[in-house]
Amino acid sequence: MTRGVLTAGALALSLLVSGCVAGTSSQGVAVADDQPFEGEVEFWTINLKKNYSDYITGLIGEYQKQHPKVTVKWVDVPGQESATKLLAAVASGDVPDAVNISSLDLGRFAPSLAPLDEHFTPADLADFQPNLVEPLRVDGKLYAVPWYNGGAPVAMYRKSVVAKADFDETAPPKSYDEALALADKVYGATKVNGMNAIPDHNALRYYGIELLSDDKKTATFNTPEAVAILEKFKKSYDAHGIAPGAVSKDIRNLPQTLDNGQIAFKATANAAELLNIQKNAPEVYQDLVVTEPVRMSTGGFLLLAQQAFAVPNASKHKKAAAEFIKFFTNGTNQLAFCKIVPIYPSTVSSTKDPFFAGSAGEDPMAVARSVIVKGLPELEYTPIGTAKDAELGELLSEEVRAFLTGTKSAKEALDTAEKRWNDALA
């Protein structure tokens, strides 16, 4: 569940969907696959030129110095056209040679992507977090290489409020059950709503509920355990531990937020949300204590998505694309990007820099950065895994909202959601 990502840097989290390498020689003759460092490289980005032009052009300049026979042409395209553009390219056969793709789209595009195993040796992958590489394999083959992600989640608590409920920041809630208990206790002590989480598909995954069958064709979340989870949240919702506006369809602009001081904490959030609070509600920001978030039943942290680079199968310059990807995603270049936009690297070496590994102090953002980097090896990327993930998530949320507001029972909501998922997947 991703909510409220509004800053310019955070906007890049959803719009950086890019990258392509095309290779022809300066005479217009196609470069052979065994000559990866010759020709023109056309590199696409999405909505980066306005805010990150210096970073991109700097990398292009450095790469061209290292490889004098390469000319890099940078093309920046509107974010709304990114998926459509890639689909059209695949359909026409005139594809980019390297493309930045969201992990959410990997299942959708995998049939049109080239396996990268022959181009990326174990040594080439050694600096990447293994837990970020493995989810990019399909049927044992590597179809993409990690670039960046939103980082491990953090929890944020308003000290002045939760202190009245005997909150101990050295022992924050470790599960959603503990978070619900704290939310109810906070409201009882302060009349401030505890949090605004609902039992959507991501919350169900925290409890270990499997959403789909292995073949991705049948919903599997409609279980007695899921019914019990929904009823736990309903109990807290009725007791005002969960804010009334948590059922709003506009999840980017909920009525009760940390920003406006109408909830006490978020049990799981991303760094971009923290930056929004720092900018829009500095008095709230100064009142925050940042800790580890709640954990999944597996003990890890849920990663909703990551950005990665892939090579379309129709590319005639796969080696050239792979070599450019290696450069663009190396630890040094990822670190430099992380310093100008609130994202987190997929490379271990980047996290060793003082920017991430230095003393956090008491500033909430610095503490968050330390918590996030510490949690990177524990990230678990477990998408629904279909071409309709966003649609399916909203279908379940609609039924959950109906249950929380008293229109349906938990079982009725799950029954309806199950049917709607199966119909959508048929």
Side-chain angles (χ1 to χ4, degrees), residues 94-332:
D94 184 13
V95 297
D97 297 292
V99 60
N100 173 215
I101 187 170
S102 168
S103 58
L104 295 175
D105 289 325
L106 187 61
R108 179 185 189 184
F109 286 106
S112 61
L113 301 177
L116 298 178
D117 304 87
E118 66 178 286
H119 303 296
F120 284 82
T121 67
D124 293 326
L125 297 171
D127 192 29
F128 292 100
Q129 300 275 3
N131 58 312
L132 300 180
V133 174
E134 290 309 307
L136 302 179
R137 297 187 188 276
V138 178
D139 296 329
K141 296 180 180 180
L142 184 68
Y143 281 92
V145 176
W147 185 17
Y148 70 87
N149 57 77
V154 298
M156 300 181 288
Y157 301 87
R158 290 171 56 203
K159 291 179 287 187
S160 64
V161 179
V162 295
K164 296 175 182 177
D166 300 321
F167 173 76
D168 180 359
E169 65 183 76
T170 66
K174 295 181 180 180
S175 66
Y176 262 117
D177 280 356
E178 292 183 6
L180 291 171
L182 176 63
D184 294 348
K185 189 174 182 181
V186 164
Y187 185 80
T190 67
K191 301 308 175 188
V192 175
N193 299 122
M195 58 179 180
N196 54 21
I198 65 171
D200 62 4
H201 68 288
N202 287 325
L204 291 181
R205 284 191 283 184
Y206 269 83
Y207 283 91
I209 300 295
E210 295 291 336
L211 302 178
L212 280 181
S213 58
D214 290 342
D215 63 7
K216 306 297 182 183
K217 294 181 179 179
T218 306
T220 58
F221 56 76
N222 189 3
T223 66
E225 291 79 12
V227 169
I229 292 166
L230 264 63
E231 289 175 344
K232 289 179 183 179
F233 276 78
K234 179 70 160 64
K235 182 178 179 181
S236 185
Y237 181 77
D238 291 343
H240 305 291
I242 295 176
V247 296
S248 171
K249 289 187 177 181
D250 187 1
I251 63 175
R252 293 183 180 274
N253 297 285
L254 295 176
Q256 296 87 29
T257 65
L258 280 175
D259 300 50
N260 62 28
Q262 295 187 42
I263 64 170
F265 67 92
K266 296 201 71 170
T268 177
N270 59 52
E273 294 177 77
L274 184 58
L275 287 173
N276 284 347
I277 295 171
Q278 184 182 35
K279 177 182 178 181
N280 301 324
E283 70 288 350
V284 174
Y285 180 80
Q286 293 301 324
D287 189 34
L288 291 178
V289 58
V290 176
T291 74
E292 279 193 355
V294 296
R295 291 177 177 266
M296 301 173 69
S297 60
T298 58
F301 303 118
L302 179 64
L303 177 64
L304 296 178
Q306 61 174 326
Q307 295 294 331
F309 275 105
V311 177
N313 199 44
S315 168
K316 296 181 177 63
H317 313 289
K318 296 181 179 68
K319 287 186 178 180
E323 292 303 321
F324 186 79
I325 290 170
K326 291 173 189 177
F327 167 79
F328 203 77
T329 62
N330 71 36
T332 298

Side-chain angles (χ1 to χ4, degrees), residues 391-408:
E391 176 187 345
L392 296 176
E394 178 53 28
L395 289 176
L396 178 57
S397 291
E398 284 182 12
E399 300 305 320
V400 167
R401 287 191 285 263
F403 163 62
L404 291 176
T405 55
T407 304
K408 295 181 177 181

